[in-house]
Amino acid sequence: MKIFIDTGAFIALTDADDEYHSTAKYFFKEEIKTTGSKFLTTNFVVCETINYLRAKVSHNTAVSFRENLYRSNVIEVVHVNPAIEDEAFRIFKHYNDKDFSFTDCVSFAAMKAKKLKEAFAFDRHFEQYGNFRKLP
């Protein structure tokens, strides 16, 4: 089973001062241990996470995050192709009543393309979009 992992989850896992740090660490470890789940994200999410960590935590933390991510055997990074980006833009245009970022829309499009239904995330956007279940 694969679960999409969003920027907020990466931040919570990486930043010990984040309000969801303990929850994120527990969920991530337990999910792998008890179900053997793997995680999937996009290069857009990685970019967003690196930018946040650089601005709010430190440059070294941002570098370590990226290096560790690409060594992980439980997280796959999907590089957004034109089809996913075009679907993301369609979603972005359609949901003008929501405050979805374009990265959110790319995440939704990638999840649809990969047939994922669950997202390890701490923001309401995955549930607002209506097709996904937010974990934990």
Side-chain angles (χ1 to χ4, degrees):
M1 178 170 121
K2 283 196 178 172
I3 299 168
F4 189 83
I5 185 167
D6 188 41
T7 305
F10 279 132
I11 291 167
L13 287 169
T14 307
D15 182 0
D17 293 331
D18 187 88
E19 66 180 308
Y20 299 113
H21 181 69
S22 296
T23 302
K25 281 184 67 172
Y26 179 79
F27 173 78
F28 187 70
K29 287 179 183 176
E30 285 300 305
E31 194 64 30
I32 292 167
K33 185 170 83 174
T34 60
T35 68
S37 290
K38 302 280 184 179
F39 296 84
L40 182 139
T41 197
T42 68
N43 57 313
F44 278 51
V45 167
V46 173
C47 178
E48 190 174 66
T49 304
I50 288 171
N51 288 337
Y52 177 92
L53 293 173
R54 171 64 182 98
K56 302 293 185 183
V57 183
S58 73
H59 182 266
N60 286 343
T61 300
V63 168
S64 292
F65 163 76
R66 170 59 168 73
E67 289 176 341
N68 291 333
L69 176 67
Y70 278 85
R71 277 186 248 161
S72 172
N73 61 355
V74 296
I75 303 171
E76 174 187 355
V77 178
V78 170
H79 290 262
V80 174
N81 62 33
I84 291 174
E85 192 170 347
D86 288 347
E87 174 62 10
F89 189 62
R90 188 198 64 73
I91 293 167
F92 185 80
K93 284 190 340 185
H94 180 76
Y95 287 91
N96 62 344
D97 62 328
K98 305 286 187 235
D99 64 344
F100 298 156
S101 70
F102 190 67
T103 300
D104 288 336
C105 296
V106 167
S107 298
F108 305 154
M111 288 180 71
K112 285 170 57 177
K114 296 293 186 176
K115 297 179 176 26
L116 303 180
K117 295 289 185 192
E118 297 177 318
F120 177 18
F122 291 101
D123 71 47
R124 67 193 185 288
H125 296 140
F126 289 87
E127 291 171 329
Q128 278 183 335
Y129 182 65
N131 296 315
F132 307 119
R133 187 167 76 108
K134 182 174 69 92
L135 302 173

